[in-house]
Amino acid sequence: MSDTPEQSGPQALQEPTLDEQIAAYQREYRELDPQVEKVVSALGRLNRRMNVAYGRQLADLGISNAEWEVLKTLVLAGAPYRLGPGELAKRLGLTPAAMTHRIDRMAGEGLVTRDRDETNRVRVIVELTDEGRSKWLEAMRMATGFEEDLLQDLTSDERGVLGEMLIRLLRRVEHTQPDAGGRLQDLD
């Protein structure tokens, strides 16, 4: 067996290499295009491993991935980093009940505030706190270090080409699966 990155670490004995996986698939499904399978399987494994790494970084900061998603969404909304719970739920692909649960937890942790809108007392506004923004910034610093390390073997030109190719794939999926941006079920 070759010494490939997917063979190192605690899962080395549990998960076959990409080549082994593709060979097994071809044995069972002869119409399989091995080039296509290598690309999508590598992307899937990369995504899984990156999510684990990001999850560990967030855990070190004392926040969950679900909380990170809310912090990120509020930052993306722009200063003053405020949205209504319904808009947050819509942007995250969550039910209102799941969003309420998440906001309750985050308000208790001091990451967000939830107050009545001064111009419309019926409306509630969720706002990023200084603590929430600090957690977001620290998570970004950690992620940036991880991502730079991940891409260290690629030249600037290769990074640009890879980025453009991945965007083309993303656009194809978004075109054929326009509803795939949300959640199939709540994560909380």
Side-chain angles (χ1 to χ4, degrees):
M1 259 192 318
S2 64
D3 185 24
T4 58
E6 60 265 21
Q7 288 179 302
S8 61
Q11 292 185 335
L13 299 175
Q14 299 170 10
E15 188 170 35
T17 67
L18 285 178
D19 289 338
E20 291 169 338
Q21 176 180 323
I22 292 165
Y25 286 177
Q26 284 182 300
R27 183 181 65 239
E28 301 298 325
Y29 181 67
R30 295 199 186 280
E31 292 83 17
L32 181 79
D33 181 332
Q35 287 181 317
V36 170
E37 190 59 34
K38 184 171 261 186
V39 169
V40 296
S41 292
L43 285 172
R45 287 185 185 199
L46 179 61
N47 181 57
R48 222 174 37 245
R49 284 163 173 78
M50 289 177 68
N51 283 336
V52 168
Y54 291 137
R56 288 178 179 149
Q57 290 176 341
L58 293 174
D60 288 346
L61 293 174
I63 60 175
S64 68
N65 187 57
E67 291 168 332
W68 161 255
E69 287 185 357
V70 174
L71 298 178
K72 176 179 71 172
T73 302
L74 289 169
V75 168
L76 289 173
Y81 314 115
R82 302 166 48 151
L83 288 171
E87 182 62 23
L88 269 171
K90 181 178 173 185
R91 290 182 185 197
L92 291 171
L94 298 172
T95 63
M99 192 73 252
T100 298
H101 174 71
R102 196 174 292 184
I103 292 167
D104 288 346
R105 189 173 63 235
M106 293 179 71
E109 294 170 0
L111 300 172
V112 298
T113 59
R114 179 180 39 209
D115 294 308
R116 295 273 174 213
D117 184 344
E118 293 299 321
T119 61
N120 178 352
R121 301 295 293 162
V122 175
R123 187 168 184 248
V124 172
I125 296 292
V126 178
E127 185 172 347
L128 189 64
T129 63
D130 289 341
E131 174 69 13
R133 181 156 169 76
S134 292
K135 294 277 186 178
W136 179 82
L137 283 169
E138 186 56 27
M140 289 299 293
R141 282 186 200 97
M142 293 169 79
T144 299
F146 168 72
E147 292 157 359
E148 285 293 328
D149 186 54
L150 176 69
L151 297 174
Q152 70 180 328
D153 296 329
L154 301 180
T155 67
S156 179
D157 288 344
E158 288 172 328
R159 289 177 185 195
V161 169
L162 178 61
E164 289 303 316
M165 291 181 346
L166 292 172
I167 288 170
R168 284 179 18 213
L169 296 176
L170 178 60
R171 285 185 184 136
R172 169 74 61 186
V173 170
E174 289 172 343
H175 176 73
T176 60
Q177 305 289 321
D179 62 339
R183 303 278 185 267
L184 294 177
Q185 60 187 12
D186 290 335
L187 301 176
D188 288 337

mmCIF file of all heavy atoms in Angstrom, residues 17-58:
data_model
loop_
_atom_site.group_PDB
_atom_site.id
_atom_site.type_symbol
_atom_site.label_atom_id
_atom_site.label_comp_id
_atom_site.label_asym_id
_atom_site.label_seq_id
_atom_site.Cartn_x
_atom_site.Cartn_y
_atom_site.Cartn_z
ATOM 1 N N THR A 17 -7.819 3.706 1.372
ATOM 2 C CA THR A 17 -7.300 4.816 0.579
ATOM 3 C C THR A 17 -8.313 5.119 -0.523
ATOM 4 O O THR A 17 -9.203 4.308 -0.821
ATOM 5 C CB THR A 17 -5.947 4.464 -0.062
ATOM 6 O OG1 THR A 17 -6.160 3.433 -1.033
ATOM 7 C CG2 THR A 17 -4.920 4.025 0.982
ATOM 8 N N LEU A 18 -8.161 6.277 -1.145
ATOM 9 C CA LEU A 18 -9.048 6.608 -2.273
ATOM 10 C C LEU A 18 -8.929 5.588 -3.388
ATOM 11 O O LEU A 18 -9.925 5.174 -3.970
ATOM 12 C CB LEU A 18 -8.747 8.011 -2.797
ATOM 13 C CG LEU A 18 -9.231 9.173 -1.944
ATOM 14 C CD1 LEU A 18 -8.806 10.494 -2.568
ATOM 15 C CD2 LEU A 18 -10.727 9.142 -1.754
ATOM 16 N N ASP A 19 -7.698 5.177 -3.670
ATOM 17 C CA ASP A 19 -7.506 4.181 -4.729
ATOM 18 C C ASP A 19 -8.199 2.867 -4.389
ATOM 19 O O ASP A 19 -8.830 2.239 -5.250
ATOM 20 C CB ASP A 19 -6.013 3.948 -4.984
ATOM 21 C CG ASP A 19 -5.342 5.136 -5.662
ATOM 22 O OD1 ASP A 19 -6.067 5.939 -6.298
ATOM 23 O OD2 ASP A 19 -4.114 5.263 -5.549
ATOM 24 N N GLU A 20 -8.103 2.428 -3.138
ATOM 25 C CA GLU A 20 -8.778 1.198 -2.708
ATOM 26 C C GLU A 20 -10.290 1.351 -2.787
ATOM 27 O O GLU A 20 -10.999 0.441 -3.227
ATOM 28 C CB GLU A 20 -8.369 0.833 -1.280
ATOM 29 C CG GLU A 20 -6.932 0.386 -1.146
ATOM 30 C CD GLU A 20 -6.473 0.292 0.297
ATOM 31 O OE1 GLU A 20 -7.071 0.932 1.190
ATOM 32 O OE2 GLU A 20 -5.484 -0.425 0.531
ATOM 33 N N GLN A 21 -10.786 2.505 -2.378
ATOM 34 C CA GLN A 21 -12.229 2.757 -2.434
ATOM 35 C C GLN A 21 -12.722 2.733 -3.875
ATOM 36 O O GLN A 21 -13.727 2.091 -4.188
ATOM 37 C CB GLN A 21 -12.542 4.112 -1.788
ATOM 38 C CG GLN A 21 -14.002 4.508 -1.871
ATOM 39 C CD GLN A 21 -14.255 5.854 -1.228
ATOM 40 O OE1 GLN A 21 -13.659 6.185 -0.216
ATOM 41 N NE2 GLN A 21 -15.140 6.630 -1.817
ATOM 42 N N ILE A 22 -12.004 3.400 -4.758
ATOM 43 C CA ILE A 22 -12.409 3.453 -6.159
ATOM 44 C C ILE A 22 -12.346 2.066 -6.799
ATOM 45 O O ILE A 22 -13.247 1.679 -7.548
ATOM 46 C CB ILE A 22 -11.552 4.481 -6.926
ATOM 47 C CG1 ILE A 22 -11.894 5.891 -6.411
ATOM 48 C CG2 ILE A 22 -11.771 4.384 -8.429
ATOM 49 C CD1 ILE A 22 -10.902 6.958 -6.813
ATOM 50 N N ALA A 23 -11.315 1.301 -6.473
ATOM 51 C CA ALA A 23 -11.203 -0.066 -7.008
ATOM 52 C C ALA A 23 -12.388 -0.919 -6.557
ATOM 53 O O ALA A 23 -12.960 -1.674 -7.345
ATOM 54 C CB ALA A 23 -9.887 -0.700 -6.567
ATOM 55 N N ALA A 24 -12.778 -0.774 -5.298
ATOM 56 C CA ALA A 24 -13.929 -1.531 -4.782
ATOM 57 C C ALA A 24 -15.212 -1.090 -5.476
ATOM 58 O O ALA A 24 -16.048 -1.928 -5.848
ATOM 59 C CB ALA A 24 -14.043 -1.348 -3.265
ATOM 60 N N TYR A 25 -15.380 0.211 -5.665
ATOM 61 C CA TYR A 25 -16.565 0.705 -6.358
ATOM 62 C C TYR A 25 -16.612 0.177 -7.792
ATOM 63 O O TYR A 25 -17.659 -0.245 -8.274
ATOM 64 C CB TYR A 25 -16.580 2.228 -6.386
ATOM 65 C CG TYR A 25 -16.929 2.910 -5.083
ATOM 66 C CD1 TYR A 25 -16.918 4.294 -4.995
ATOM 67 C CD2 TYR A 25 -17.271 2.192 -3.941
ATOM 68 C CE1 TYR A 25 -17.238 4.954 -3.823
ATOM 69 C CE2 TYR A 25 -17.583 2.839 -2.765
ATOM 70 C CZ TYR A 25 -17.569 4.220 -2.713
ATOM 71 O OH TYR A 25 -17.889 4.862 -1.550
ATOM 72 N N GLN A 26 -15.467 0.204 -8.478
ATOM 73 C CA GLN A 26 -15.422 -0.270 -9.860
ATOM 74 C C GLN A 26 -15.718 -1.768 -9.955
ATOM 75 O O GLN A 26 -16.329 -2.217 -10.921
ATOM 76 C CB GLN A 26 -14.055 0.022 -10.481
ATOM 77 C CG GLN A 26 -13.873 1.462 -10.860
ATOM 78 C CD GLN A 26 -12.531 1.690 -11.522
ATOM 79 O OE1 GLN A 26 -11.488 1.441 -10.934
ATOM 80 N NE2 GLN A 26 -12.565 2.157 -12.762
ATOM 81 N N ARG A 27 -15.290 -2.492 -8.949
ATOM 82 C CA ARG A 27 -15.559 -3.929 -8.925
ATOM 83 C C ARG A 27 -17.072 -4.168 -8.864
ATOM 84 O O ARG A 27 -17.602 -5.073 -9.510
ATOM 85 C CB ARG A 27 -14.863 -4.549 -7.702
ATOM 86 C CG ARG A 27 -15.006 -6.052 -7.583
ATOM 87 C CD ARG A 27 -14.322 -6.606 -6.326
ATOM 88 N NE ARG A 27 -14.968 -6.103 -5.126
ATOM 89 C CZ ARG A 27 -14.361 -5.392 -4.162
ATOM 90 N NH1 ARG A 27 -13.079 -5.102 -4.241
ATOM 91 N NH2 ARG A 27 -15.031 -4.982 -3.114
ATOM 92 N N GLU A 28 -17.776 -3.346 -8.133
ATOM 93 C CA GLU A 28 -19.214 -3.517 -7.942
ATOM 94 C C GLU A 28 -20.053 -2.752 -8.971
ATOM 95 O O GLU A 28 -21.196 -3.109 -9.215
ATOM 96 C CB GLU A 28 -19.600 -3.067 -6.525
ATOM 97 C CG GLU A 28 -18.899 -3.826 -5.414
ATOM 98 C CD GLU A 28 -19.225 -5.299 -5.402
ATOM 99 O OE1 GLU A 28 -20.376 -5.661 -5.729
ATOM 100 O OE2 GLU A 28 -18.319 -6.104 -5.093
ATOM 101 N N TYR A 29 -19.480 -1.676 -9.512
ATOM 102 C CA TYR A 29 -20.227 -0.830 -10.453
ATOM 103 C C TYR A 29 -19.279 -0.439 -11.585
ATOM 104 O O TYR A 29 -18.567 0.547 -11.506
ATOM 105 C CB TYR A 29 -20.767 0.408 -9.722
ATOM 106 C CG TYR A 29 -21.576 1.334 -10.584
ATOM 107 C CD1 TYR A 29 -22.810 0.926 -11.098
ATOM 108 C CD2 TYR A 29 -21.128 2.609 -10.885
ATOM 109 C CE1 TYR A 29 -23.558 1.780 -11.894
ATOM 110 C CE2 TYR A 29 -21.868 3.468 -11.682
ATOM 111 C CZ TYR A 29 -23.077 3.045 -12.184
ATOM 112 O OH TYR A 29 -23.824 3.882 -12.974
ATOM 113 N N ARG A 30 -19.288 -1.227 -12.635
ATOM 114 C CA ARG A 30 -18.299 -1.113 -13.722
ATOM 115 C C ARG A 30 -18.413 0.189 -14.521
ATOM 116 O O ARG A 30 -17.456 0.603 -15.165
ATOM 117 C CB ARG A 30 -18.413 -2.308 -14.653
ATOM 118 C CG ARG A 30 -18.045 -3.602 -13.949
ATOM 119 C CD ARG A 30 -17.714 -4.697 -14.938
ATOM 120 N NE ARG A 30 -17.506 -5.974 -14.274
ATOM 121 C CZ ARG A 30 -16.386 -6.325 -13.668
ATOM 122 N NH1 ARG A 30 -15.389 -5.496 -13.611
ATOM 123 N NH2 ARG A 30 -16.280 -7.519 -13.100
ATOM 124 N N GLU A 31 -19.558 0.846 -14.484
ATOM 125 C CA GLU A 31 -19.743 2.083 -15.241
ATOM 126 C C GLU A 31 -19.102 3.290 -14.556
ATOM 127 O O GLU A 31 -19.109 4.395 -15.093
ATOM 128 C CB GLU A 31 -21.242 2.365 -15.463
ATOM 129 C CG GLU A 31 -21.911 1.372 -16.385
ATOM 130 C CD GLU A 31 -22.343 0.098 -15.660
ATOM 131 O OE1 GLU A 31 -22.424 0.111 -14.422
ATOM 132 O OE2 GLU A 31 -22.575 -0.917 -16.352
ATOM 133 N N LEU A 32 -18.547 3.122 -13.400
ATOM 134 C CA LEU A 32 -17.962 4.215 -12.625
ATOM 135 C C LEU A 32 -16.785 4.856 -13.369
ATOM 136 O O LEU A 32 -15.912 4.154 -13.883
ATOM 137 C CB LEU A 32 -17.458 3.678 -11.276
ATOM 138 C CG LEU A 32 -16.850 4.720 -10.342
ATOM 139 C CD1 LEU A 32 -17.944 5.496 -9.650
ATOM 140 C CD2 LEU A 32 -15.949 4.037 -9.328
ATOM 141 N N ASP A 33 -16.765 6.163 -13.416
ATOM 142 C CA ASP A 33 -15.633 6.899 -13.975
ATOM 143 C C ASP A 33 -14.661 7.161 -12.827
ATOM 144 O O ASP A 33 -14.964 7.936 -11.918
ATOM 145 C CB ASP A 33 -16.101 8.214 -14.590
ATOM 146 C CG ASP A 33 -14.978 9.021 -15.222
ATOM 147 O OD1 ASP A 33 -13.810 8.898 -14.789
ATOM 148 O OD2 ASP A 33 -15.276 9.805 -16.141
ATOM 149 N N PRO A 34 -13.484 6.534 -12.828
ATOM 150 C CA PRO A 34 -12.565 6.665 -11.703
ATOM 151 C C PRO A 34 -12.048 8.086 -11.495
ATOM 152 O O PRO A 34 -11.780 8.480 -10.362
ATOM 153 C CB PRO A 34 -11.423 5.701 -12.039
ATOM 154 C CG PRO A 34 -11.546 5.402 -13.479
ATOM 155 C CD PRO A 34 -12.971 5.633 -13.861
ATOM 156 N N GLN A 35 -11.934 8.860 -12.550
ATOM 157 C CA GLN A 35 -11.485 10.249 -12.392
ATOM 158 C C GLN A 35 -12.528 11.072 -11.648
ATOM 159 O O GLN A 35 -12.196 11.837 -10.748
ATOM 160 C CB GLN A 35 -11.194 10.883 -13.744
ATOM 161 C CG GLN A 35 -9.924 10.382 -14.393
ATOM 162 C CD GLN A 35 -9.672 11.062 -15.722
ATOM 163 O OE1 GLN A 35 -10.606 11.245 -16.520
ATOM 164 N NE2 GLN A 35 -8.425 11.437 -15.951
ATOM 165 N N VAL A 36 -13.778 10.915 -12.036
ATOM 166 C CA VAL A 36 -14.856 11.633 -11.357
ATOM 167 C C VAL A 36 -14.929 11.193 -9.899
ATOM 168 O O VAL A 36 -15.020 12.026 -8.989
ATOM 169 C CB VAL A 36 -16.214 11.398 -12.068
ATOM 170 C CG1 VAL A 36 -17.363 11.941 -11.240
ATOM 171 C CG2 VAL A 36 -16.197 12.014 -13.461
ATOM 172 N N GLU A 37 -14.869 9.892 -9.678
ATOM 173 C CA GLU A 37 -14.959 9.383 -8.308
ATOM 174 C C GLU A 37 -13.806 9.866 -7.445
ATOM 175 O O GLU A 37 -13.986 10.180 -6.269
ATOM 176 C CB GLU A 37 -15.030 7.857 -8.303
ATOM 177 C CG GLU A 37 -15.357 7.267 -6.949
ATOM 178 C CD GLU A 37 -16.684 7.740 -6.390
ATOM 179 O OE1 GLU A 37 -17.632 7.971 -7.169
ATOM 180 O OE2 GLU A 37 -16.781 7.893 -5.149
ATOM 181 N N LYS A 38 -12.614 9.948 -8.022
ATOM 182 C CA LYS A 38 -11.461 10.427 -7.248
ATOM 183 C C LYS A 38 -11.683 11.876 -6.808
ATOM 184 O O LYS A 38 -11.420 12.236 -5.668
ATOM 185 C CB LYS A 38 -10.173 10.305 -8.051
ATOM 186 C CG LYS A 38 -8.938 10.699 -7.241
ATOM 187 C CD LYS A 38 -7.665 10.372 -7.967
ATOM 188 C CE LYS A 38 -7.163 9.069 -7.412
ATOM 189 N NZ LYS A 38 -5.855 8.656 -7.904
ATOM 190 N N VAL A 39 -12.187 12.712 -7.713
ATOM 191 C CA VAL A 39 -12.428 14.121 -7.388
ATOM 192 C C VAL A 39 -13.489 14.246 -6.292
ATOM 193 O O VAL A 39 -13.263 14.901 -5.276
ATOM 194 C CB VAL A 39 -12.856 14.924 -8.641
ATOM 195 C CG1 VAL A 39 -13.356 16.313 -8.266
ATOM 196 C CG2 VAL A 39 -11.701 15.017 -9.638
ATOM 197 N N VAL A 40 -14.642 13.605 -6.490
ATOM 198 C CA VAL A 40 -15.720 13.797 -5.514
ATOM 199 C C VAL A 40 -15.403 13.123 -4.177
ATOM 200 O O VAL A 40 -15.746 13.653 -3.121
ATOM 201 C CB VAL A 40 -17.095 13.365 -6.063
ATOM 202 C CG1 VAL A 40 -17.506 14.233 -7.240
ATOM 203 C CG2 VAL A 40 -17.122 11.905 -6.447
ATOM 204 N N SER A 41 -14.730 12.000 -4.203
ATOM 205 C CA SER A 41 -14.359 11.337 -2.948
ATOM 206 C C SER A 41 -13.312 12.148 -2.195
ATOM 207 O O SER A 41 -13.375 12.278 -0.970
ATOM 208 C CB SER A 41 -13.849 9.923 -3.206
ATOM 209 O OG SER A 41 -14.891 9.106 -3.670
ATOM 210 N N ALA A 42 -12.339 12.705 -2.923
ATOM 211 C CA ALA A 42 -11.328 13.539 -2.275
ATOM 212 C C ALA A 42 -11.966 14.791 -1.683
ATOM 213 O O ALA A 42 -11.643 15.189 -0.556
ATOM 214 C CB ALA A 42 -10.224 13.913 -3.268
ATOM 215 N N LEU A 43 -12.895 15.405 -2.417
ATOM 216 C CA LEU A 43 -13.595 16.579 -1.886
ATOM 217 C C LEU A 43 -14.384 16.220 -0.627
ATOM 218 O O LEU A 43 -14.390 16.976 0.349
ATOM 219 C CB LEU A 43 -14.529 17.173 -2.944
ATOM 220 C CG LEU A 43 -13.875 17.959 -4.067
ATOM 221 C CD1 LEU A 43 -14.906 18.311 -5.137
ATOM 222 C CD2 LEU A 43 -13.213 19.214 -3.530
ATOM 223 N N GLY A 44 -15.061 15.082 -0.656
ATOM 224 C CA GLY A 44 -15.835 14.652 0.508
ATOM 225 C C GLY A 44 -14.949 14.418 1.727
ATOM 226 O O GLY A 44 -15.265 14.850 2.834
ATOM 227 N N ARG A 45 -13.843 13.731 1.516
ATOM 228 C CA ARG A 45 -12.921 13.477 2.639
ATOM 229 C C ARG A 45 -12.294 14.766 3.148
ATOM 230 O O ARG A 45 -12.152 14.964 4.352
ATOM 231 C CB ARG A 45 -11.835 12.491 2.212
ATOM 232 C CG ARG A 45 -12.347 11.078 2.085
ATOM 233 C CD ARG A 45 -11.221 10.122 1.776
ATOM 234 N NE ARG A 45 -11.757 8.781 1.540
ATOM 235 C CZ ARG A 45 -11.041 7.683 1.596
ATOM 236 N NH1 ARG A 45 -9.752 7.749 1.880
ATOM 237 N NH2 ARG A 45 -11.593 6.516 1.374
ATOM 238 N N LEU A 46 -11.917 15.639 2.230
ATOM 239 C CA LEU A 46 -11.343 16.920 2.625
ATOM 240 C C LEU A 46 -12.351 17.723 3.442
ATOM 241 O O LEU A 46 -12.016 18.277 4.493
ATOM 242 C CB LEU A 46 -10.896 17.703 1.389
ATOM 243 C CG LEU A 46 -10.293 19.078 1.631
ATOM 244 C CD1 LEU A 46 -9.035 18.986 2.491
ATOM 245 C CD2 LEU A 46 -9.990 19.754 0.291
ATOM 246 N N ASN A 47 -13.584 17.773 2.977
ATOM 247 C CA ASN A 47 -14.630 18.497 3.694
ATOM 248 C C ASN A 47 -14.828 17.932 5.096
ATOM 249 O O ASN A 47 -14.919 18.682 6.067
ATOM 250 C CB ASN A 47 -15.943 18.436 2.901
ATOM 251 C CG ASN A 47 -17.051 19.192 3.590
ATOM 252 O OD1 ASN A 47 -16.929 20.375 3.873
ATOM 253 N ND2 ASN A 47 -18.132 18.492 3.895
ATOM 254 N N ARG A 48 -14.883 16.618 5.208
ATOM 255 C CA ARG A 48 -15.075 15.972 6.510
ATOM 256 C C ARG A 48 -13.927 16.315 7.457
ATOM 257 O O ARG A 48 -14.139 16.673 8.614
ATOM 258 C CB ARG A 48 -15.175 14.464 6.304
ATOM 259 C CG ARG A 48 -16.221 13.793 7.120
ATOM 260 C CD ARG A 48 -16.437 12.309 6.821
ATOM 261 N NE ARG A 48 -15.265 11.531 6.513
ATOM 262 C CZ ARG A 48 -15.021 10.948 5.338
ATOM 263 N NH1 ARG A 48 -15.875 11.074 4.348
ATOM 264 N NH2 ARG A 48 -13.942 10.229 5.150
ATOM 265 N N ARG A 49 -12.710 16.203 6.981
ATOM 266 C CA ARG A 49 -11.546 16.460 7.822
ATOM 267 C C ARG A 49 -11.440 17.940 8.199
ATOM 268 O O ARG A 49 -11.049 18.279 9.311
ATOM 269 C CB ARG A 49 -10.282 15.973 7.126
ATOM 270 C CG ARG A 49 -10.183 14.445 7.198
ATOM 271 C CD ARG A 49 -9.183 13.897 6.194
ATOM 272 N NE ARG A 49 -8.942 12.466 6.344
ATOM 273 C CZ ARG A 49 -9.749 11.517 5.929
ATOM 274 N NH1 ARG A 49 -10.909 11.825 5.356
ATOM 275 N NH2 ARG A 49 -9.452 10.246 6.089
ATOM 276 N N MET A 50 -11.774 18.813 7.271
ATOM 277 C CA MET A 50 -11.761 20.249 7.580
ATOM 278 C C MET A 50 -12.819 20.573 8.633
ATOM 279 O O MET A 50 -12.566 21.361 9.547
ATOM 280 C CB MET A 50 -11.974 21.071 6.314
ATOM 281 C CG MET A 50 -10.775 21.039 5.381
ATOM 282 S SD MET A 50 -11.046 21.933 3.833
ATOM 283 C CE MET A 50 -11.147 23.607 4.446
ATOM 284 N N ASN A 51 -14.001 19.973 8.516
ATOM 285 C CA ASN A 51 -15.045 20.210 9.514
ATOM 286 C C ASN A 51 -14.609 19.747 10.897
ATOM 287 O O ASN A 51 -14.904 20.400 11.900
ATOM 288 C CB ASN A 51 -16.349 19.528 9.108
ATOM 289 C CG ASN A 51 -17.072 20.293 8.018
ATOM 290 O OD1 ASN A 51 -16.890 21.494 7.860
ATOM 291 N ND2 ASN A 51 -17.881 19.596 7.250
ATOM 292 N N VAL A 52 -13.907 18.621 10.975
ATOM 293 C CA VAL A 52 -13.386 18.146 12.255
ATOM 294 C C VAL A 52 -12.384 19.157 12.817
ATOM 295 O O VAL A 52 -12.432 19.518 13.995
ATOM 296 C CB VAL A 52 -12.752 16.746 12.125
ATOM 297 C CG1 VAL A 52 -11.957 16.374 13.362
ATOM 298 C CG2 VAL A 52 -13.836 15.705 11.858
ATOM 299 N N ALA A 53 -11.468 19.622 11.974
ATOM 300 C CA ALA A 53 -10.458 20.587 12.421
ATOM 301 C C ALA A 53 -11.117 21.882 12.896
ATOM 302 O O ALA A 53 -10.766 22.408 13.963
ATOM 303 C CB ALA A 53 -9.466 20.871 11.295
ATOM 304 N N TYR A 54 -12.062 22.404 12.133
ATOM 305 C CA TYR A 54 -12.758 23.624 12.545
ATOM 306 C C TYR A 54 -13.533 23.391 13.841
ATOM 307 O O TYR A 54 -13.558 24.245 14.723
ATOM 308 C CB TYR A 54 -13.721 24.102 11.456
ATOM 309 C CG TYR A 54 -13.063 24.633 10.213
ATOM 310 C CD1 TYR A 54 -13.543 24.287 8.965
ATOM 311 C CD2 TYR A 54 -11.970 25.494 10.267
ATOM 312 C CE1 TYR A 54 -12.963 24.780 7.801
ATOM 313 C CE2 TYR A 54 -11.381 25.987 9.114
ATOM 314 C CZ TYR A 54 -11.883 25.632 7.883
ATOM 315 O OH TYR A 54 -11.305 26.113 6.745
ATOM 316 N N GLY A 55 -14.173 22.234 13.957
ATOM 317 C CA GLY A 55 -14.908 21.916 15.178
ATOM 318 C C GLY A 55 -14.010 21.893 16.399
ATOM 319 O O GLY A 55 -14.396 22.365 17.472
ATOM 320 N N ARG A 56 -12.814 21.356 16.248
ATOM 321 C CA ARG A 56 -11.856 21.350 17.367
ATOM 322 C C ARG A 56 -11.448 22.767 17.739
ATOM 323 O O ARG A 56 -11.317 23.095 18.923
ATOM 324 C CB ARG A 56 -10.629 20.521 16.989
ATOM 325 C CG ARG A 56 -10.903 19.048 16.961
ATOM 326 C CD ARG A 56 -9.683 18.257 16.532
ATOM 327 N NE ARG A 56 -9.999 16.830 16.548
ATOM 328 C CZ ARG A 56 -9.456 15.941 15.742
ATOM 329 N NH1 ARG A 56 -8.537 16.306 14.857
ATOM 330 N NH2 ARG A 56 -9.803 14.681 15.815
ATOM 331 N N GLN A 57 -11.216 23.602 16.734
ATOM 332 C CA GLN A 57 -10.849 24.987 17.021
ATOM 333 C C GLN A 57 -11.973 25.712 17.756
ATOM 334 O O GLN A 57 -11.726 26.438 18.721
ATOM 335 C CB GLN A 57 -10.505 25.727 15.722
ATOM 336 C CG GLN A 57 -9.222 25.255 15.099
ATOM 337 C CD GLN A 57 -8.937 25.921 13.766
ATOM 338 O OE1 GLN A 57 -9.831 26.485 13.120
ATOM 339 N NE2 GLN A 57 -7.688 25.859 13.339
ATOM 340 N N LEU A 58 -13.202 25.504 17.304
ATOM 341 C CA LEU A 58 -14.338 26.147 17.962
ATOM 342 C C LEU A 58 -14.497 25.638 19.390
ATOM 343 O O LEU A 58 -14.777 26.423 20.304
ATOM 344 C CB LEU A 58 -15.616 25.924 17.147
ATOM 345 C CG LEU A 58 -15.660 26.601 15.781
ATOM 346 C CD1 LEU A 58 -16.919 26.185 15.020
ATOM 347 C CD2 LEU A 58 -15.575 28.121 15.913
#
